[in-house]
Amino acid sequence: MVKMNRITAITLELTEDCNLRCDYCFTYGKRKEKMTIETAKKSIDWLIEQSKDQPRIDVTFWGGEPLTQLSLVKEIVEYIKIETSKANKGYALSMTTNGTLLSESTLKYLQDENILFSVSIDGREEVHNAHRPFASGKGSYKSVERGIKRALKYFPELNLRLSLTSDKGYMLADDIKYFYSEWGVKNFNFSPVWEHDWTEDKLQIVEEQFKELSEFTIEEMEKGNELLIYPFRYGIERLLATEKQLPCGAGRHYVGISTEGAIYPCHRFHKFSDTRKWNEQEFCIGHIDKGITRSDTRQMFYDYSIDNIEKCKKCEIYQYCVGHCYSSCLDIVGDMHEFNDAMCTWSKLVITAAKFLILNLEENNTFKNIYMRHGNHINMSNRNGSCDCNAGCYENHGCKCYNACYQDVFDYQ
């Protein structure tokens, strides 16, 4: 039994409800449960206590759609200010939103409180509306477009988060080029919807899209323009990392807290279709009223290593691979320690793109500043909170790329 990390980051599931009905969503937006302010306050108290002498805590607002609970967000933020001040800690706040509720007043509030966020949009209108309709069935693209264009006035480094679907993957490069050239978005993150059927021909299309995006990135870097494709930078970090990384910090420094106060290794392990009591669910590790009650389940995240997976040792990117999302593996393969062939191919494509960029841009100052900031050498003594992606954004304000909860490299001492 290893010494457990101090928990410094949580996702607060403010609501299970959502105004969209994305057909691949793992939270579905079908139930109406909402977190109470009492549960939220207990969660913050628990996090502060768990973080012990760490200088900062991270709180990410999640749903459903968290902006349907803006009044609750405001109450929680005020409570965080008071309690972290008492504990002599800093804090960072982040959010993932579908972008439909980004009014001017909401954006001004998020800016004033320095709540950094990512907006989910899958692509241009045809791509986005194929899988992300409103509850009424109407496409949500126009609403999201308005929200993003407003948001860019307040957050010029706004990150767009695309879910790559197997039927629309052939449009990835053109979608990103459009948002970059026409809207002025500089930062993009994307990952596959693993629940889709990623056949060999679909993955071939992704490979072509990666090549096109890599070449476009080179063109922009050579012009001195900033374009950040996060999957490519993750690949570069893995190539240059001096220590073995993990898929994320789930179950270690980071946990997800459900509307009722149940604690999961991360927000994705809360399966809304499972209506059993929290203490009967295999991957629920506790409750804010009880603390961590399933250290054995949490231990699984400490025991994880691709060194224990025989087929990984024969892979050409073995030394760079960190594995995959624990929850996705559990959902798709049935074991959080196993990957399917599509997941492995995805990792190889990321590493290939990273090598291609380094080969062509190693001496480019813009590239080094955007993709190789801090030289990608982890300075553990200066790590504040949980974000460890070397973006350089976290030190003073929080995480601008997605949730500040994911990457994990080491055990706290």
Side-chain angles (χ1 to χ4, degrees):
M1 179 75 72
V2 300
K3 183 179 179 181
M4 300 290 184
N5 288 32
R6 296 165 189 171
I7 295 170
T8 61
I10 58 174
T11 291
L12 288 180
E13 184 185 275
L14 303 184
T15 177
E16 296 184 19
D17 197 13
C18 186
N19 57 344
L20 298 190
R21 292 295 183 270
C22 308
D23 59 19
Y24 52 70
C25 184
F26 55 86
T27 55
Y28 308 119
K30 294 178 180 177
R31 303 200 312 191
K32 303 293 184 182
E33 280 81 354
K34 299 175 183 178
M35 181 174 283
T36 65
I37 185 60
E38 291 75 23
T39 298
K41 287 180 176 180
K42 286 181 182 180
S43 300
I44 300 304
D45 292 342
W46 180 82
L47 175 60
I48 290 173
E49 189 278 326
Q50 287 288 312
S51 66
K52 300 189 186 301
D53 61 350
Q54 292 302 304
R56 185 180 307 208
I57 60 170
D58 295 270
V59 178
T60 297
F61 300 115
W62 188 262
E65 171 50 45
L67 285 180
T68 63
Q69 304 302 308
L70 183 57
S71 60
L72 178 59
V73 170
K74 292 180 178 180
E75 287 188 82
I76 296 171
V77 170
E78 291 308 307
Y79 189 74
I80 289 171
K81 290 179 183 177
I82 293 169
E83 296 307 311
T84 53
S85 177
K86 290 179 184 176
N88 195 29
K89 288 183 184 290
Y91 65 89
L93 305 173
S94 57
M95 177 185 295
T96 300
T97 173
N98 62 33
T100 61
L101 301 174
L102 292 172
S103 65
E104 296 285 349
S105 60
T106 295
L107 286 162
K108 183 66 168 60
Y109 170 76
L110 296 174
Q111 182 186 58
D112 289 345
E113 297 298 341
N114 202 28
I115 302 175
L116 302 184
F117 59 94
S118 175
V119 179
S120 297
I121 182 170
D122 284 359
R124 290 162 295 167
E125 190 162 9
E126 174 191 339
V127 176
H128 183 86
N129 284 345
H131 297 284
R132 298 182 66 86
F134 281 109
S136 66
K138 180 183 176 182
S140 62
Y141 177 83
K142 293 296 186 185
S143 178
V144 179
E145 178 184 36
R146 287 192 294 271
I148 290 172
K149 287 183 175 180
R150 286 192 200 107
L152 286 166
K153 295 183 294 183
Y154 295 86
F155 297 89
E157 293 191 343
L158 178 70
N159 175 66
L160 298 191
R161 173 68 166 76
L162 290 73
S163 292
L164 189 63
T165 57
S166 62
D167 61 328
K168 300 295 181 182
Y170 66 94
M171 300 180 77
L172 175 66
D174 283 343
D175 286 336
I176 287 179
K177 288 179 183 180
Y178 176 81
F179 295 138
Y180 173 78
S181 302
E182 299 298 322
W183 294 4
V185 178
K186 301 176 183 178
N187 301 316
F188 298 91
N189 204 348
F190 53 83
S191 63
V193 176
W194 291 119
E195 290 79 4
H196 281 200
D197 186 17
W198 287 98
T199 58
E200 204 168 308
D201 61 319
K202 299 293 186 184
L203 290 167
Q204 178 64 43
I205 290 171
V206 173
E207 181 176 4
E208 294 165 1
Q209 293 297 295
F210 270 37
K211 188 173 187 298
E212 185 175 343
L213 271 179
S214 299
E215 291 171 346
F216 183 66
T217 300
I218 291 170
E219 291 174 12
E220 294 306 309
M221 294 293 106
E222 289 178 341
K223 295 175 186 175
N225 297 332
E226 296 182 2
L227 169 62
L228 179 51
I229 309 294
Y230 276 96
F232 294 170
R233 189 166 71 184
Y234 298 152
I236 291 168
E237 289 177 355
R238 293 171 190 176
L239 288 171
L240 302 182
T242 57
E243 300 181 52
K244 191 67 174 178
Q245 297 179 337
L246 294 164
C248 73
R252 296 164 61 90
H253 71 257
Y254 159 65
V255 296
I257 299 179
S258 72
T259 53
E260 65 171 323
I263 303 169
Y264 294 86
C266 89
H267 58 282
R268 288 200 59 149
F269 278 93
H270 179 201
K271 310 302 181 185
F272 291 177
S273 57
D274 190 340
T275 57
R276 292 176 295 171
K277 295 179 180 179
W278 65 269
N279 56 348
E280 295 175 357
Q281 297 182 30
E282 290 80 4
F283 278 92
C284 184
I285 61 175
H287 193 283
I288 54 167
D289 290 333
K290 304 287 185 179
I292 301 293
T293 60
R294 292 285 303 278
S295 294
D296 57 332
T297 302
R298 193 178 176 201
Q299 180 69 36
M300 296 171 63
F301 295 86
Y302 287 86
D303 294 339
Y304 180 93
S305 173
I306 65 169
D307 295 342
N308 300 325
I309 303 172
E310 202 58 37
K311 72 175 183 178
C312 292
K313 297 177 183 178
K314 303 171 184 177
C315 179
E316 63 266 31
I317 64 163
Y318 168 63
Q319 67 188 102
Y320 309 122
C321 188
V322 301
H324 297 273
C325 168
Y326 304 115
S327 180
S328 292
C329 290
L330 183 67
D331 291 343
I332 305 306
V333 188
D335 187 332
M336 63 181 248
H337 298 85
E338 294 289 340
F339 331 124
N340 63 21
D341 290 342
M343 292 175 173
C344 294
T345 299
W346 177 269
S347 291
K348 292 172 185 176
L349 293 178
V350 168
I351 294 299
T352 298
K355 288 180 177 179
F356 182 67
L357 291 177
I358 291 175
L359 179 66
N360 284 275
L361 293 169
E362 191 170 10
E363 301 304 318
N364 182 283
N365 288 330
T366 304
F367 174 72
K368 286 190 285 188
N369 184 52
I370 299 298
Y371 283 87
M372 302 171 69
R373 192 173 292 183
H374 303 313
N376 288 96
H377 297 298
I378 308 296
N379 186 342
M380 295 182 183
S381 63
N382 291 336
R383 176 173 167 171
N384 294 320
S386 61
C387 188
D388 208 6
C389 72
N390 285 325
C393 61
Y394 184 77
E395 292 177 10
N396 299 316
H397 300 298
C399 176
K400 71 182 180 186
C401 57
Y402 195 30
N403 294 326
C405 309
Y406 289 151
Q407 291 200 348
D408 198 3
V409 147
F410 67 100
D411 290 339
Y412 293 122
Q413 302 299 313

